[in-house]
Amino acid sequence: MFSFFTAMSYAHAEQEVSIEQLITQAKPGQTVIVPSGIYKGPLTIDKPVILQAKPGAILEGNGMGSVLTITADGVTVEGLTIRNSGQDVTAHDAGILIQGNDTIVRNNNIQDTLFGIHLDRSSACLVSDNFIQGDKEAPVARRGNGIQITAGGKHMIERNRLTEVQDGVYFDQTVRNTVKQNTVQNSRYGYHVMFSDDNRIVSNVTEDSVIGAMIMSARGIEVQDNIFRDQLDVQGCGLFLYDVQNGLVKGNKLLNNTTGITMDTVQDTLLQKNLVAYNAMGVKREGEIEATHLTENAFIANVRQIGGGTNWSTEVWSRQAHGNYWDDYRGWDFNKDGVGDGAYRMADDMLKAFEDNPLLGIFYAGPLHQLMDQIASAYPVVDEYPLMNVPFTE
C-alpha cells in the first residue's frame, strides 16, 4: 500500500511541474525530459535546450497565438503533441513558431492549429518526421499552411506528413531551402513557392489536392524526382510553373491529374526525363515560354498530350536533337538511332475542338479522330525529334 501511494504521488508531482519550470531550471545545452501528461501553453523557449517529450506528453494552447515559440538558437524539440493554437491568419498563429536559428524540430504531432510550423526569419533549421493535420472541416481558404517559411532560409524540411492544410510547404521570400521526402494530402497546393530563389523540392509526394506544386516568381528552382498524382479538381494540376527562370524540372512523375504540367512565363528552364501519364491533358501552355526545353520526357495515356491557347514553338520540344517519347507517335526509325524519322504532330482540328468542348472527347480514338489524324499532316510540327522508346526506367 505504501508503494502504491508513493507511485501515485510521484506521477502527480511530475504533472505539477510545468515545462516552463523545467526549462528555467535547465542549463544551456541540457536535455529536458518532459513526462507524459497535459501541459498548459503557450510556452516560449528562450535558451538552447534539448526538449525530449515522453509518449503522451501534450502541450495544450489556450486558443490564442502560437502554442510553442522558440526564440533561442540551437534548440531541439522532439516527441511532443501540440494542439489548440489561435486562429489569426495575419499573425500566422501556429503550433510551433521558430524565430531562432539552428533549431531542430522532429517527431512531433501537431493538431488543431492554424499553421503547423512557422519558420519566421530563421536560418539553418531542421524540420523532420513531424505529422501535421489541419482542420478538415474548415474550407481550404480558411486553413493555415502546414509548414511556412518566411524569409531567412537554408532549412532542411524532410519526411514530414501533412494533411488537410491549405498549402503543405509554403515558401515566402526565402532562399536555399531543401524540401525532400515529404507527403501532402487533401490540401490546396502541396508545395507553394512565392518570390523565393535557389530552392530544391526533391522526392516528395502530393496527392488528392488541387495542385501538386505551384512555383511562382522563382529563380533557380529545382523540382526533381517528385510524385504529383490524383489532382482531379477542375483546376487540378500536377505542376504549375509561373514566372520561373533558370529552373530544372527532372525525373518527376505527374500521374492522373486534370493537367500534368502548366507553363506560363517560363524562361531558361529545362524539363527532362519526367513521366507525364494518365492525365486529361499532358502539358498546357498559358503564356510566354523562352529558351526553355522539354526533352526526354515520356507522354503516355494522356487524353490529350498538349494544349493551351497559345501556339508552341518547335524549339521547345527538343534539346540537342533529342525530343520526347509520345505513346501515340506512329513513325519509323529506319536508321535505328532511337529518334523517329518523321516529326510528331498534334494539332489536328478534332483535338483543338476538345479544348473548347470537352464533350467531344467521346470521339477520341474513334473513326472520326483517325480521319482527322490524316488531315493533321497539314499542321505545324510539334516535336521534330520524337523518341522511339521511353528514355528512362519508369
Side-chain angles (χ1 to χ4, degrees):
M1 288 293 291
F2 177 80
S3 298
F4 174 78
F5 284 115
T6 300
M8 289 293 289
S9 177
Y10 178 74
H12 180 72
E14 279 190 331
Q15 294 184 19
E16 286 294 324
V17 177
S18 69
I19 302 177
E20 185 174 12
Q21 289 174 307
L22 295 173
I23 293 171
T24 299
Q25 296 166 7
K27 297 178 180 179
Q30 186 174 348
T31 297
V32 175
I33 304 297
V34 181
S36 176
I38 299 177
Y39 300 85
K40 293 181 179 180
L43 171 69
T44 297
I45 301 179
D46 58 2
K47 69 170 67 172
V49 295
I50 301 170
L51 195 71
Q52 291 184 346
K54 293 292 186 180
I58 299 170
L59 181 62
E60 182 88 34
N62 62 3
M64 298 178 63
S66 295
V67 182
L68 173 62
T69 300
I70 300 171
T71 59
D73 297 344
V75 172
T76 296
V77 175
E78 54 186 346
L80 196 59
T81 294
I82 296 172
R83 61 194 189 195
N84 197 27
S85 76
Q87 297 295 312
D88 188 338
V89 175
T90 59
H92 299 103
D93 289 347
I96 302 178
L97 171 60
I98 301 173
Q99 296 177 322
N101 306 312
D102 301 301
T103 297
I104 298 173
V105 173
R106 63 189 172 202
N107 293 315
N108 300 287
N109 189 323
I110 302 175
Q111 307 169 2
D112 299 323
T113 62
L114 183 60
F115 290 72
I117 298 172
H118 182 197
L119 297 111
D120 184 19
R121 297 170 178 81
S122 57
S123 65
C125 297
L126 171 65
V127 176
S128 71
D129 302 286
N130 301 285
F131 174 70
I132 300 173
Q133 183 174 27
D135 182 0
K136 65 180 179 181
E137 302 300 328
V140 171
R142 296 187 62 183
R143 301 176 191 172
N145 301 317
I147 298 172
Q148 171 143 339
I149 310 171
T150 302
K154 301 181 183 179
H155 303 299
M156 175 67 73
I157 312 295
E158 63 180 358
R159 296 189 305 275
N160 300 283
R161 188 157 65 94
L162 309 114
T163 182
E164 284 139 0
V165 295
Q166 185 171 109
D167 298 340
V169 181
Y170 185 94
F171 303 69
D172 181 12
Q173 302 182 74
T174 178
V175 298
R176 298 175 62 186
N177 302 286
T178 297
V179 174
K180 70 176 186 179
Q181 297 178 343
N182 302 279
T183 299
V184 180
Q185 298 173 311
N186 301 312
S187 300
R188 186 182 68 160
Y189 305 157
Y191 310 91
H192 189 183
V193 179
M194 288 286 291
F195 305 107
S196 298
D197 299 338
D198 302 317
N199 292 288
R200 302 178 67 239
I201 299 174
V202 182
S203 301
N204 302 282
V205 175
T206 307
E207 55 191 4
D208 298 318
S209 298
V210 179
I211 294 179
M214 170 67 86
I215 314 298
M216 306 179 71
S217 300
R219 312 292 178 265
I221 187 75
E222 295 182 20
V223 183
Q224 296 196 60
D225 301 321
N226 303 282
I227 299 174
F228 303 132
R229 64 186 173 212
D230 299 329
Q231 274 64 242
L232 295 174
D233 184 87
V234 66
Q235 297 179 326
C237 182
L239 173 64
F240 199 121
L241 303 176
Y242 175 78
D243 187 22
V244 172
Q245 294 182 11
N246 303 111
L248 175 64
V249 177
K250 185 175 181 179
N252 302 285
K253 295 181 179 180
L254 303 113
L255 311 173
N256 195 38
N257 305 289
T258 303
T259 302
I261 302 173
T262 299
M263 304 171 68
D264 186 350
T265 316
V266 180
Q267 298 179 344
D268 297 303
T269 294
L270 176 64
L271 294 91
Q272 184 178 31
K273 295 185 182 298
N274 301 288
L275 174 61
V276 185
Y278 311 110
N279 305 284
M281 182 178 292
V283 180
K284 184 177 182 180
R285 173 178 178 170
E286 292 193 345
E288 293 299 316
I289 298 175
E290 298 179 5
T292 290
H293 300 278
L294 289 91
T295 179
E296 298 179 330
N297 302 287
F299 295 87
I300 298 173
N302 301 295
V303 174
R304 180 176 182 183
Q305 304 280 39
I306 304 168
T310 306
N311 291 330
W312 295 79
S313 64
T314 305
E315 292 77 14
V316 170
W317 295 106
S318 63
R319 180 172 178 263
Q320 299 175 346
H322 270 72
N324 303 274
Y325 174 79
W326 310 89
D327 68 339
D328 54 342
Y329 176 62
R330 298 294 179 262
W332 301 91
D333 180 19
F334 290 110
N335 62 1
K336 304 300 181 183
D337 65 351
V339 177
D341 296 329
Y344 172 76
R345 304 170 186 268
M346 197 197 130
D348 59 74
D349 283 346
M350 172 62 78
L351 291 177
K352 283 185 177 180
F354 283 168
E355 189 165 9
D356 297 327
N357 188 352
L359 292 176
L360 291 178
I362 61 175
F363 296 109
Y364 186 81
L368 179 58
H369 185 191
Q370 294 173 22
L371 173 62
M372 299 310 295
D373 277 342
Q374 297 177 22
I375 300 172
S377 59
Y379 287 90
V381 168
V382 169
D383 188 344
E384 292 184 299
Y385 306 99
L387 304 181
M388 299 303 297
N389 298 294
V390 175
F392 51 84
T393 302
E394 294 183 36

